[in-house]
Amino acid sequence: MADLIVKAAVKEQLEGHNVASNFYDALDEEVATVLDNAARRAEENDRKTVQARDL
């Protein structure tokens, strides 16, 4: 699986909090699921372009 998130950006967003090493893998999986669902929705609507409304 490709890394979909940028660890430095996550750390910056969660400034003041510690981040467990396994958090990044779990977040990456969540993002992949969201993207897969958005792509499926676009295809179901006969589009190749994934749009914000597919989220």
Side-chain angles (χ1 to χ4, degrees):
M1 176 189 322
D3 288 332
L4 299 172
I5 57 141
V6 177
K7 290 180 182 180
V10 173
K11 285 181 183 181
E12 183 178 324
Q13 182 68 34
L14 297 175
E15 184 178 356
H17 293 85
N18 295 326
V19 181
S21 61
N22 63 348
F23 178 82
Y24 299 109
D25 290 334
L27 180 59
D28 207 62
E29 288 178 22
E30 287 291 322
V31 171
T33 299
V34 169
L35 294 175
D36 289 343
N37 289 340
R40 181 183 39 76
R41 181 174 158 87
E43 289 175 6
E44 288 172 355
N45 287 289
D46 296 320
R47 289 183 281 110
K48 289 189 176 205
T49 302
V50 179
Q51 301 173 354
R53 64 183 175 188
D54 296 316
L55 294 174

